[in-house]
Amino acid sequence: MEIIKSFLCFISFTVLLLFNPMAEANKAHHHEFIIQATKVKRLCETHNSITVNGMFPGPQLVINNGDTLIVKVINRARYNVTIHWHGVRQMRTGWADGPEFVTQCPIRPGSSYTYRFTIQGQEGTLWWHAHSSWLRATVYGSLLVLPPAGSSYPFPTPHRDVPLLLGEWWDANPIDVVRESTRTGAAPNISDAYTINGQPGDLYKCSSQVTTIVPINVGETILLRVINSALNQPLFFTVANHKFTVVGADASYLKPFTTNVIVLGPGQTTDVLITGDQPPNRYYMAARAYQSTQNAPFGNTTTTAILQYKSAPCCIGGTNNGISVKPIMPLLPAYNDTNTVTRFSQSFRSLKRAEVPTELDESLYIIVGLGLNNCPKNFRSRRCQGPNGTRFTASMNNVSFALPSNYSLLQAHHHNIPGVFTTDFPAKPPVKFDYTGSNISQSLYQPDRGTKLYKLKYGSRVQIVLQDTGIVTPENHPIHLHGYDFYIVAEGFGNFNPKKDTAKFNLEDPPLRNTVGVPVNGWAVIRFVADNPGVWIMHCHLDAHISWGLAMAFLVENGKGLLETIEEPPADLPVC
């Protein structure tokens, strides 16, 4: 009888596996990242740059929705390091998120740490990068999340896809650049070049022999996965004589729309289809700065790659059938073309009806911007080289965020360690003023410094108004929230007015993103449900602004039961 019962149980289990596709285990992908110094030559000079596995940019990771990543990071460099998996929800796996002193202590030189997490319910283009000092200048790479096996894209399947990582290059050690800025209190030196897949392109010195080339056939459609991995610069991107069909951003699908140019803030990704429908030739793919700040230095140069038809003339320096082999250059928007940025961002709509929270438990109003601290009395003048002998700072709601150094915030929360942080981050600005006005009191330029978190109950429905200010200067700030995607329900210019601006809210099909460009002299409103317990930093993705304190963090409490509770920390979690 027992044998019959066992046989029946075996048959039942087999049938369950056959007819339940979710019963099959998803694939686990194992990788090893070795952080090391590597000789990299750009702009005629060779530098000992920090890389992953000797590659710049770093390794491309490709998985399917539902798969698990297990990445062992071994630090053989001379700096502390962590790796952040930008845009990954990290459901209950906050220990793998990566920001230094937020979810983990850094991986010290000679040490290692293994990141383990599953990507579920996300498809499209994400990326990974160092989240320690300015190491992400060279430590970054793409993370492509394909549909589950047997599924397809919600748009015509492209012939192939091509990741394009837009970056910045310093003809110096980026760590020295940020350390000098910290020492002097001045803005850091701007980069010397922009790059596409690590190469500056034809318009820079000593670069034309290694310009990135993307081949294409006549009639072929390619999915370009464009990632802005630059440290401090929003970028326009276009291809000469070709149109883009935008189909996704930040690993969420969009209602397709066509455009000649896209713009991405640091941290953002955009998926576009491009078709080989032009005469066979060579066409520049080009990126240049979008600079919303007035009277601030920026790199006013252009990085290029080449879209090259396989049947195009091949004779470098000559002509064939009257067609020049020099690539055709596109027209790019002016560096300060905010109108183009606005038209582009307001074209985004989620592919399907969005599950936007319509009732709210938490409503925050957060002003973001720069500041200037007076020179401390014990500092010499060379340490106060900001405007008029000050030191640059930045804040959210007048709090300049200070990271701890003895524990990570998540460790302190999980183990109830006192004295590391407080939970009194203000839900609204402590002083109300004309945020985008031109005559802002100098008394508002010096924020308080602290490690203040905002506590959210599990399942809270949250709305945040992110408001730019004119303190020091207005600017477009790309604000990134870790551990969450959020709906951008509205954006506009001036000061947010709930009486009139609420009518502009799109609660039907707003885009789902992880990084929002808060318009210069304007505002953006985001909504999400706090369904992921842990400590999650929200910060400006201009790295100069992070070091000045333009950040805060949410402490999302555990809910009920195992599936609403953060996992226990892994055994190899680094110690401070």
Side-chain angles (χ1 to χ4, degrees):
M1 192 69 180
E2 289 299 318
I3 294 175
I4 294 173
K5 284 183 178 179
S6 298
F7 178 74
L8 290 173
C9 286
F10 173 76
I11 292 294
S12 299
F13 181 69
T14 303
V15 170
L16 181 66
L17 283 175
L18 287 172
F19 291 97
N20 180 11
M22 295 304 292
E24 182 181 351
N26 291 309
K27 186 176 180 182
H29 302 256
H30 293 259
H31 297 275
E32 187 173 85
F33 279 14
I34 297 176
I35 312 297
Q36 62 188 60
T38 303
K39 291 189 182 301
V40 179
K41 186 175 183 178
R42 297 292 186 276
L43 308 180
C44 314
E45 299 293 334
T46 300
H47 294 274
N48 268 329
S49 299
I50 306 302
T51 67
V52 171
N53 300 347
M55 301 167 63
F56 172 62
Q60 173 181 299
L61 305 182
V62 182
I63 68 168
N64 293 93
N65 180 358
D67 287 354
T68 296
L69 269 172
I70 301 168
V71 184
K72 184 176 183 180
V73 176
I74 302 168
N75 187 4
R76 294 182 183 163
R78 60 192 176 106
Y79 304 108
N80 294 336
V81 71
T82 65
I83 300 294
H84 170 52
W85 314 93
H86 186 109
V88 175
R89 285 292 317 271
Q90 298 288 3
M91 298 299 291
R92 301 179 54 240
T93 53
W95 306 105
D97 188 43
E100 185 178 68
F101 295 116
V102 178
T103 60
Q104 67 167 97
C105 296
I107 306 168
R108 306 288 183 184
S111 299
S112 67
Y113 176 50
T114 300
Y115 294 88
R116 299 174 176 86
F117 55 91
T118 298
I119 297 182
Q120 191 75 50
Q122 295 179 281
E123 292 177 20
T125 304
L126 298 173
W127 63 301
W128 57 264
H129 60 80
H131 212 296
S132 193
S133 185
W134 272 23
L135 285 180
R136 82 169 180 89
T138 52
V139 178
Y140 63 87
S142 58
L143 171 52
L144 314 184
V145 186
L146 307 179
S151 300
S152 60
Y153 297 114
F155 47 81
T157 302
H159 291 85
R160 57 198 169 88
D161 54 5
V162 178
L164 294 175
L165 294 117
L166 312 180
E168 286 184 271
W169 177 263
W170 275 261
D171 205 4
N173 181 347
I175 304 299
D176 292 342
V177 173
V178 68
R179 286 179 175 175
E180 176 70 3
S181 171
T182 302
R183 188 184 67 80
T184 64
N189 290 340
I190 62 172
S191 60
D192 295 286
Y194 303 115
T195 59
I196 298 177
N197 288 354
Q199 298 295 344
D202 290 357
L203 306 184
Y204 295 92
K205 62 182 179 181
C206 303
S207 301
S208 60
Q209 296 302 310
V210 285
T211 294
T212 298
I213 294 177
V214 178
I216 190 170
N217 283 314
V218 173
E220 189 175 46
T221 296
I222 296 175
L223 176 62
L224 298 179
R225 300 175 177 271
V226 189
I227 302 166
N228 187 346
S229 44
L231 255 71
N232 294 312
Q233 194 63 61
L235 294 165
F236 292 110
F237 176 77
T238 189
V239 178
N241 294 6
H242 290 73
K243 287 186 178 295
F244 298 137
T245 299
V246 180
V247 294
D250 292 0
S252 291
Y253 293 122
L254 297 169
K255 288 184 172 67
F257 67 94
T258 58
T259 180
N260 295 321
V261 63
I262 63 175
V263 63
L264 307 93
Q268 292 183 322
T269 75
T270 305
D271 293 345
V272 300
L273 297 173
I274 185 171
T275 299
D277 57 5
Q278 295 300 303
N281 209 327
R282 305 171 80 221
Y283 299 86
Y284 273 132
M285 319 170 90
R288 70 171 296 187
Y290 164 53
Q291 179 71 1
S292 59
T293 309
Q294 295 183 356
N295 304 318
F298 70 100
N300 194 12
T301 59
T302 301
T303 179
T304 56
I306 299 171
L307 183 71
Q308 182 168 290
Y309 282 72
K310 294 179 181 178
S311 54
C314 60
C315 307
I316 304 300
T319 61
N320 189 339
N321 296 325
I323 302 176
S324 171
V325 298
K326 183 178 181 181
I328 298 168
M329 191 70 189
L331 288 174
L332 279 154
Y335 70 86
N336 58 355
D337 189 351
T338 295
N339 288 336
T340 291
V341 175
T342 303
R343 280 195 302 272
F344 178 68
S345 66
Q346 292 184 350
S347 298
F348 282 52
R349 298 285 185 273
S350 283
L351 182 62
K352 299 178 180 178
R353 182 180 174 86
E355 298 178 2
V356 190
T358 53
E359 296 183 1
L360 301 173
D361 302 300
E362 299 276 358
S363 187
L364 291 84
Y365 194 116
I366 298 179
I367 60 173
V368 299
L370 306 184
L372 297 172
N373 282 330
N374 291 334
C375 193
K377 292 181 180 178
N378 61 329
F379 278 24
R380 295 184 177 181
S381 59
R382 65 170 178 260
R383 296 203 60 193
C384 299
Q385 295 183 34
N388 301 314
T390 59
R391 292 177 58 86
F392 272 107
T393 184
S395 67
M396 290 185 170
N397 276 359
N398 204 46
V399 179
S400 185
F401 194 68
L403 288 169
S405 57
N406 295 327
Y407 302 95
S408 75
L409 295 173
L410 185 56
Q411 286 173 304
H413 163 59
H414 191 75
H415 298 294
N416 296 311
I417 300 170
V420 179
F421 63 84
T422 59
T423 55
D424 57 345
F425 181 85
K428 60 183 181 180
V431 178
K432 191 174 181 179
F433 61 97
D434 182 4
Y435 307 119
T436 55
S438 57
N439 295 311
I440 298 175
S441 171
Q442 294 284 325
S443 65
L444 297 167
Y445 277 46
Q446 294 194 75
D448 297 326
R449 188 163 170 80
T451 312
K452 298 185 178 186
L453 278 56
Y454 191 90
K455 190 178 289 188
L456 293 171
K457 291 187 183 306
Y458 183 92
S460 296
R461 297 158 296 184
V462 184
Q463 174 178 290
I464 307 174
V465 176
L466 294 163
Q467 173 75 62
D468 185 33
T469 75
I471 297 177
V472 182
T473 179
E475 187 167 2
N476 181 298
H477 294 277
I479 302 298
H480 173 50
L481 174 59
H482 287 228
Y484 286 89
D485 289 325
F486 48 75
Y487 291 105
I488 305 174
V489 298
E491 60 180 50
F493 292 97
N495 299 329
F496 176 75
N497 183 338
K499 292 181 179 178
K500 67 174 185 178
D501 291 329
T502 305
K504 303 174 184 175
F505 284 8
N506 174 10
L507 302 180
E508 298 293 323
D509 58 355
L512 186 66
R513 305 207 66 171
N514 61 59
T515 306
V516 56
V518 179
V520 56
N521 263 326
W523 50 267
V525 180
I526 65 173
R527 289 188 180 185
F528 63 95
V529 177
D531 59 357
N532 193 12
V535 176
W536 307 105
I537 189 169
M538 183 171 74
H539 63 86
C540 181
H541 219 278
L542 306 179
D543 275 29
H545 294 182
I546 302 175
S547 58
W548 292 340
L550 215 169
M552 58 83 65
F554 289 103
L555 192 166
V556 181
E557 297 176 318
N558 287 327
K560 297 178 181 179
L562 184 67
L563 296 181
E564 296 181 2
T565 302
I566 190 169
E567 293 180 358
E568 288 297 310
D572 64 339
L573 187 73
V575 295
C576 289

